[in-house]
Amino acid sequence: MAVLPIIKLGHPSLRKRALEVTRFDDELVRLARNMIDTMRVNEGIGLAGNQVNVLQRIFVIDFQLVDETQEARAFVNPRILRGEGSVKMEEGCLSIPGVRADVVRPETVEVEYQDLEGRTHREVLTELPARVFQHELDHLDGILFIDHLSPVQRKLLEPQLKSIQEA
Ligand code: CO
């Protein structure tokens, strides 16, 4: 088990687009395990490659928080095929500690991704899993949840964001 350092707002890797994963090897499995450990230790529900300074298109989500029968899983080269509806939900991010805000996103998403063996899966997610998937996918494109806020919301959070960036 290894817990990786999580980079915070202000680090340039959070603003970069992660690259497609092409090698489904032991190293990828090890990375996924370490990311799951890191997410758990930090009590997160999701964690993307960019957040541990690995610019590869992989994220992990802990579905156990939603459904006890499900384990934490890795999603490789994920994408959203379509979204439906619109719902407001509060979000936070391990890279922006202490900041939470309401974000509007599609309620249901049909997604496609590969597992650690490179097999392609397609499924429909809704509620919290849909939310986390969208938040994590944004990370792989260099987008943060604060980018979705209204100018007023953003202005209110600005002092907090500034102090994280300066730390
Ligand atoms: Co995040």
Side-chain angles (χ1 to χ4, degrees):
M1 150 158 184
V3 174
L4 309 167
I6 296 177
I7 60 172
K8 303 292 185 317
L9 183 67
H11 191 296
S13 290
L14 288 177
R15 290 309 192 177
K16 288 189 181 141
R17 189 177 187 279
L19 298 172
E20 214 75 14
V21 172
T22 52
R23 290 176 55 173
F24 294 84
D25 54 10
D26 290 350
E27 207 174 310
L28 187 69
V29 173
R30 205 171 317 127
L31 171 65
R33 269 198 212 125
N34 290 342
M35 286 175 68
I36 288 171
D37 290 342
T38 304
M39 169 176 66
R40 290 222 167 106
V41 164
N42 290 282
E43 292 174 356
I45 186 169
L47 185 71
N50 298 47
Q51 293 181 277
V52 290
N53 207 6
V54 174
L55 294 174
Q56 293 190 51
R57 300 188 77 77
I58 178 170
F59 59 66
V60 295
I61 297 179
D62 192 357
F63 279 124
Q64 237 166 6
L65 295 173
V66 192
D67 177 352
E68 273 184 19
T69 64
Q70 291 203 47
E71 308 242 314
R73 272 195 281 158
F75 297 81
V76 181
N77 298 329
R79 58 198 189 100
I80 291 173
L81 303 174
R82 59 181 187 90
E84 222 169 71
S86 171
V87 67
K88 191 193 281 181
M89 207 182 270
E90 196 183 58
E91 294 188 27
C93 181
L94 293 174
S95 293
I96 314 175
V99 175
R100 303 193 66 85
D102 285 335
V103 180
V104 178
R105 296 186 194 262
E107 187 172 19
T108 302
V109 283
E110 185 177 5
V111 304
E112 194 178 82
Y113 60 91
Q114 285 169 285
D115 61 26
L116 293 170
E117 271 104 51
R119 286 182 300 242
T120 300
H121 301 268
R122 201 178 264 208
E123 59 186 282
V124 175
L125 302 175
T126 193
E127 295 180 11
L128 190 59
R131 177 55 57 134
V132 181
F133 193 100
Q134 292 176 83
H135 176 116
E136 301 310 328
L137 182 56
D138 268 356
H139 273 301
L140 303 184
D141 292 320
I143 299 165
L144 301 171
F145 82 92
I146 51 172
D147 300 343
H148 293 285
L149 303 180
S150 71
V152 174
Q153 279 179 303
R154 180 71 191 238
K155 202 166 170 81
L156 287 169
L157 290 175
E158 210 50 63
Q160 254 181 298
L161 299 177
K162 219 175 151 224
S163 71
I164 295 167
Q165 249 163 324
E166 283 166 358

